[in-house]
Amino acid sequence: MARKNGCELKIDLMCSGLRVPALVTPAVSTGMRRTRAGLGSGLELIVRGRSRDTHVNAPVTERFARSSPYRLEEREDGLVIFDDRDGARFTVEVPPPPAWYGSTTSRGTTMSRLGVMQGTYLAVYVGKVCSFWTMEPPKRCAFCTTGLNVGNAEEAEKAVEDIVETATAAKRENGVTFVHFNSGFHSDSGVELVAPYVRAIKRGVGALVGVQLAPDPDLSKYDRLIDMGVEHFSFCYEFHDPDFFRKYLPGKDAHATQKRFFDAMEHTARRLGKGRVSGEIIAGIEPLEDTLRAIDYITSAGAFPTICIFRPLSGSDLEGRQPPSYADMRAVFAYAAEALRKNGVPVGLAPNLEVSIVPTPADILDLGPDTPEFRLFVLKNRLMKRAAWPYFRWRMRRHDPGAF
Ligand code: SF4
């Protein structure tokens, strides 16, 4: 078996999970946080690589992880992951939980209940718990655990001032460059809900901002958020096959519709340009051909696919399922890498932006075909990343973008 590169190990850990012996657990698991939809509920790891490090959130507590071939060991020289199938070993680090997790804001809220580090960016859920969890009967997405987390592991509602203080601490202590806001479904898309946070981050912190909300039929609202400085949108439509969309996302099907996701993604991708917007899907539930169709559609719209490897989260409706196979997922991400090239979608340009909960477009460049065209694509991305630095520095200046 050929030794896996960082991206391949990330994919396999997400498919197989990681066994963490009881003796190691207390030392490393203090940073494990079950927030938002739950995808980041595992152990944050950094796999050191020759050219770049890979950040991964490895499932640990889910049932399937108990039979993983991967186990974590604490050696004198640090932490190592062993693959029991072939004895391969990978040196890893567990980033210490940010010191600010234990701090409180001036309003007395513990910062770890406001935002969470998922790789090198700050992730914040805003608004009340998603209404798909509270409807009678519930219409929650089958893979989601937001309703178990918001109000428990994190604050049920978050004051704008608290988020500014938390993001300031994350920027100061962790060099955070990107703050990502998401929310569940409310009576509307949530654009009005998120706008004050965007303004406050731009004015008081100075960081790149991403937004992930239910799609709004009034596309002019996105124009206004773009005018306020939002750099990135992601639209989680999850499944390309309308039957799967209907079956596993009853709330989104009834109250958002797949078409609305497509319209919002296409509109914002047109407005912001290639590589700035993401279509988010889950791989490992619908047939692979549908996942590949989704990748073709998303990249042809100038967006990049954010592909979540299905994680049967404890407490979700699908907790009894098995995650997909490594071989299938590797094929999906290799396909996505080539689709990005074919459609000329630049990736990984933003500074210090590593994501642990999904294999990112920048991670998957390692899986592309060994062709001159793909090598040129990788080289162009590297050069663009360097050239884009002054632009991003300007975008990260503190300024008041005005009200929504
Ligand atoms: S929209 Fe679906 S995935 Fe998002 S919070 Fe609500 S139930 Fe969870």
Side-chain angles (χ1 to χ4, degrees):
M1 213 187 286
R3 183 183 167 81
K4 291 185 171 63
N5 62 34
C7 180
E8 291 169 324
L9 179 64
K10 180 172 184 171
I11 293 171
D12 206 4
L13 283 169
M14 287 178 163
C15 294
S16 306
L18 175 68
R19 283 178 289 132
V20 180
L23 275 178
V24 181
T25 309
V28 302
S29 63
T30 45
M32 281 170 57
R33 311 261 308 114
R34 183 172 284 267
T35 59
R36 312 222 287 181
L39 200 56
S41 58
L43 184 62
E44 289 280 310
L45 296 164
I46 302 174
V47 185
R48 297 292 179 203
R50 233 174 290 157
S51 56
R52 66 189 292 273
D53 298 333
T54 306
H55 292 247
V56 55
N57 185 281
V60 167
T61 55
E62 276 65 35
R63 204 178 312 159
F64 69 91
R66 286 180 215 153
S67 53
S68 172
Y70 292 106
R71 88 191 131 78
L72 187 69
E73 257 197 46
E74 200 163 19
R75 297 273 171 121
E76 272 183 8
D77 53 344
L79 288 168
V80 176
I81 290 180
F82 281 99
D83 182 343
D84 283 340
R85 292 166 297 192
D86 59 3
R89 51 177 284 170
F90 303 88
T91 305
V92 295
E93 284 174 30
V94 174
W100 56 263
Y101 270 13
S103 304
T104 49
T105 65
S106 45
R107 295 161 50 97
T109 316
T110 306
M111 288 187 179
S112 64
R113 295 180 56 78
L114 295 163
V116 61
M117 295 293 293
Q118 293 186 329
T120 59
Y121 76 96
L122 179 68
V124 180
Y125 180 98
V126 292
K128 293 183 185 154
V129 70
C130 173
S131 62
F132 295 157
W133 278 79
T134 52
M135 287 175 176
E136 263 318 317
K139 288 186 181 166
R140 60 179 174 257
C141 304
F143 56 85
C144 174
T145 61
T146 296
L148 308 177
N149 305 330
V150 175
N152 294 312
E154 60 182 300
E155 289 298 297
E157 291 190 59
K158 300 176 178 92
V160 171
E161 303 76 33
D162 278 351
I163 296 303
V164 168
E165 288 181 38
T166 303
T168 301
K171 182 177 178 178
R172 186 179 56 237
E173 294 174 26
N174 295 104
V176 158
T177 55
F178 180 69
V179 181
H180 186 250
F181 292 107
N182 83 323
S183 189
F185 184 84
H186 306 288
S187 54
D188 53 27
S189 67
V191 169
E192 287 83 355
L193 169 81
V194 84
Y197 294 93
V198 174
R199 183 183 189 192
I201 292 293
K202 291 290 173 187
R203 193 162 54 169
V205 183
L208 306 174
V209 172
V211 166
Q212 182 186 87
L213 300 167
D216 198 299
D218 180 356
L219 299 176
S220 70
K221 289 185 186 175
Y222 296 109
D223 298 339
R224 278 143 65 197
L225 281 182
I226 290 168
D227 291 344
M228 287 181 73
V230 168
E231 277 86 8
H232 164 75
F233 292 93
S234 49
F235 296 99
C236 307
Y237 78 93
E238 325 292 7
F239 302 117
H240 205 66
D241 181 328
D243 290 337
F244 280 75
F245 186 89
R246 202 169 300 123
K247 178 172 177 187
Y248 291 106
L249 319 171
K252 287 188 182 186
D253 184 56
H255 300 277
T257 75
Q258 206 181 34
K259 180 177 182 309
R260 215 180 265 179
F261 278 95
F262 293 164
D263 289 347
M265 187 189 79
E266 290 173 25
H267 177 78
T268 50
R270 263 194 309 273
R271 277 291 322 267
L272 284 172
K274 285 187 175 183
R276 300 274 299 273
V277 170
S278 142
E280 195 160 320
I281 51 172
I282 297 176
I285 295 180
E286 66 181 338
L288 281 193
E289 306 78 64
D290 292 312
T291 303
L292 302 189
R293 262 195 286 278
I295 291 168
D296 286 337
Y297 161 64
I298 293 166
T299 51
S300 69
F304 62 87
T306 296
I307 307 168
C308 306
I309 295 175
F310 168 56
R311 188 181 297 197
L313 292 164
S314 308
S316 72
D317 294 341
L318 298 180
E319 71 174 336
R321 294 268 188 109
Q322 282 300 306
S325 76
Y326 166 72
D328 281 353
M329 290 303 101
R330 196 198 180 286
V332 162
F333 285 102
Y335 187 91
E338 180 62 350
L340 288 164
R341 182 201 67 79
K342 276 191 201 152
N343 290 283
V345 181
V347 300
L349 305 190
N352 187 35
L353 181 47
E354 299 290 342
V355 180
S356 61
I357 57 176
V358 291
T360 63
D363 291 332
I364 67 175
L365 291 182
D366 284 344
L367 308 183
D370 188 15
T371 60
E373 293 81 10
F374 198 81
R375 283 198 292 274
L376 183 63
F377 176 62
V378 173
L379 178 66
K380 264 166 75 179
N381 268 285
R382 258 188 228 138
L383 296 175
M384 283 170 76
K385 186 177 175 86
R386 260 184 236 158
W389 169 235
Y391 169 73
F392 282 113
R393 197 169 44 196
W394 176 74
R395 300 275 327 179
M396 290 188 286
R397 76 201 187 285
R398 271 198 300 210
H399 68 288
D400 186 356
F404 181 68

